[in-house]
Amino acid sequence: PPGQSGAPDPTGSPSTGSGTGRGPGPDSPSVDPNAPHPLQPPRGVTAFELPSGSVQVTWQHPGDPADSFTVQEPDGPVLVEVSGAARQASVSVAPGTHRFTVTAFRAGEPFETSAPSNAVTTSGRPSGVTGVVGRVSGNPDDTTATIDVQWTAAQDNGSPVLTYTVVMTNAYGTETHEVPTTSTSFVATCPTVYCNPSPVTVRVTATNAKGAGPTVTETIPYDGPEPPALPAGGAQLVDRSEHTWTGRSWMGHGTTRLMLSPPDDWRGFTGTCSWTHTGNRDGEDQGELPCDATSLTVDIETGVIRGADSGVRQHRIVFTASNGTESVSSAVYTWLTKQEVMCPRCS
């Protein structure tokens, strides 16, 4: 009946209900079933550190393909760009804690950025050491020198330093130490005392689980002691000589006492002074004496002389000053000895 709820409209006007399912009218827009769906943001972004210290970022991308993806830290610069077919990328970052986002791009559409990944803490190879110092110390008693080296620890960059490789090179060779601490000592050997093996260089490299850091090279100076300055060579140290035979002169046994008067630079020399005498039957003989000595007694052993011979023998002595690395010689002093001859008329 008219006015009753749900009754037909007697005017025959169209219904304003939810539709009859007959499809769009002639003025409704058509839908292209082949048109791409809107670009979706990447999802499930995950980051983990690789053994090399770089980070691998993976993601998923639902919906229609993107043209490309970029990976970056939130509000940071783009670290890498990959094709739309990729679902992972490796990026290099400084040691520390990082999160990453992935952004999808398609021509003609707004880009879409993922939510940040999980936090990942990265590490790297250690830095170079700093403050490398040392000293090289010889000595007057033997032919070795001690080389002490120390340095400031390298930054570990998130992975503890396991060892330091120290390579020491000097004028006489190379030696390598692997140490867990920040100091080490070497011993160098020279041909002479007051060992100065310069130039001495050391190369220090820190290593952790990620590998070796940069090598730092330093030159280590010689710290002494220095050999004493030599006296002047060619000086005459002997004033005169006195010879005495022991028993009968024909036996050829005796001594010569040399009176010495060394110049000031010889007398004050702190190195080693020695002498070499020639004229005895068995060749030269040698010995040491204080550099400030005022006399020296030399044994004479000319042996028995037979036959037609004058019995005269010439003797020579020379003094040498040495500082362990160099030496100089004095002027030569000569003298004569005369002894009885056995059987002067024998052949």
Side-chain angles (χ1 to χ4, degrees):
Q4 184 176 349
S5 175
D9 186 348
T11 63
S13 60
S15 171
T16 58
S18 60
T20 61
R22 297 174 182 173
D27 296 330
S28 299
S30 61
V31 177
D32 183 358
N34 296 320
H37 294 90
L39 183 65
Q40 299 294 310
R43 299 175 184 173
V45 180
T46 303
F48 62 93
E49 185 185 19
L50 297 171
S52 63
S54 60
V55 175
Q56 182 161 296
V57 182
T58 62
W59 62 90
Q60 301 168 2
H61 186 242
D64 291 342
D67 293 338
S68 62
F69 297 100
T70 60
V71 180
Q72 63 196 90
E73 295 189 64
D75 301 323
V78 172
L79 299 174
V80 68
E81 181 177 357
V82 295
S83 72
R87 294 295 182 269
Q88 67 179 29
S90 295
V91 294
S92 296
V93 290
T97 301
H98 305 272
R99 292 177 183 270
F100 302 92
T101 59
V102 180
T103 301
F105 293 88
R106 185 192 292 161
E109 296 188 40
F111 60 82
E112 295 290 344
T113 299
S114 71
S117 71
N118 58 292
V120 59
T121 300
T122 62
S123 59
R125 297 183 181 190
S127 64
V129 302
T130 58
V132 180
V133 295
R135 58 180 299 193
V136 182
S137 302
N139 64 81
D141 301 319
D142 62 36
T143 59
T144 64
T146 302
I147 302 167
D148 297 314
V149 188
Q150 60 185 10
W151 56 90
T152 301
Q155 296 181 4
D156 61 18
N157 291 329
S159 178
V161 173
L162 302 176
T163 186
Y164 293 95
T165 302
V166 188
V167 181
M168 183 277 300
T169 301
N170 63 66
Y172 303 103
T174 297
E175 188 175 349
T176 301
H177 286 180
E178 297 278 351
V179 295
T181 58
T182 57
S183 65
T184 189
S185 294
F186 298 87
V187 175
T189 302
C190 302
T192 63
V193 297
Y194 293 98
C195 177
N196 180 357
S198 298
V200 177
T201 60
V202 292
R203 301 188 297 276
V204 185
T205 307
T207 301
N208 64 10
K210 289 295 187 289
T215 297
V216 176
T217 302
E218 191 63 56
T219 300
I220 307 301
Y222 181 70
D223 197 42
E226 298 289 347
L230 291 170
Q236 181 54 261
L237 274 60
V238 182
D239 279 343
R240 65 186 189 280
S241 60
E242 297 176 351
H243 178 72
T244 303
W245 292 112
T246 302
R248 297 286 300 270
S249 67
W250 63 265
M251 298 176 63
H253 302 305
T255 57
T256 295
R257 186 167 184 260
L258 304 171
M259 266 49 80
L260 309 179
S261 181
D264 290 344
D265 56 348
W266 280 78
R267 189 164 46 248
F269 182 57
T270 58
T272 301
C273 290
S274 60
W275 53 268
T276 301
H277 164 244
T278 57
N280 281 344
R281 177 179 55 186
D282 296 330
E284 67 180 30
D285 51 325
Q286 300 174 325
E288 290 189 5
L289 78 165
C291 296
D292 60 353
T294 57
S295 66
L296 172 67
T297 298
V298 178
D299 290 334
I300 303 300
E301 294 290 342
T302 52
V304 176
I305 301 175
R306 292 181 173 85
D309 193 298
S310 65
V312 175
R313 294 292 182 266
Q314 184 182 69
H315 300 267
R316 305 169 73 253
I317 194 167
V318 63
F319 298 87
T320 301
S322 173
N323 62 12
T325 60
E326 298 175 300
S327 61
V328 295
S329 297
S330 70
V332 176
Y333 179 78
T334 61
W335 74 98
L336 302 176
T337 59
K338 183 176 175 60
Q339 65 191 79
E340 298 176 71
V341 177
M342 294 294 291
C343 190
R345 289 192 287 270
C346 295
S347 59

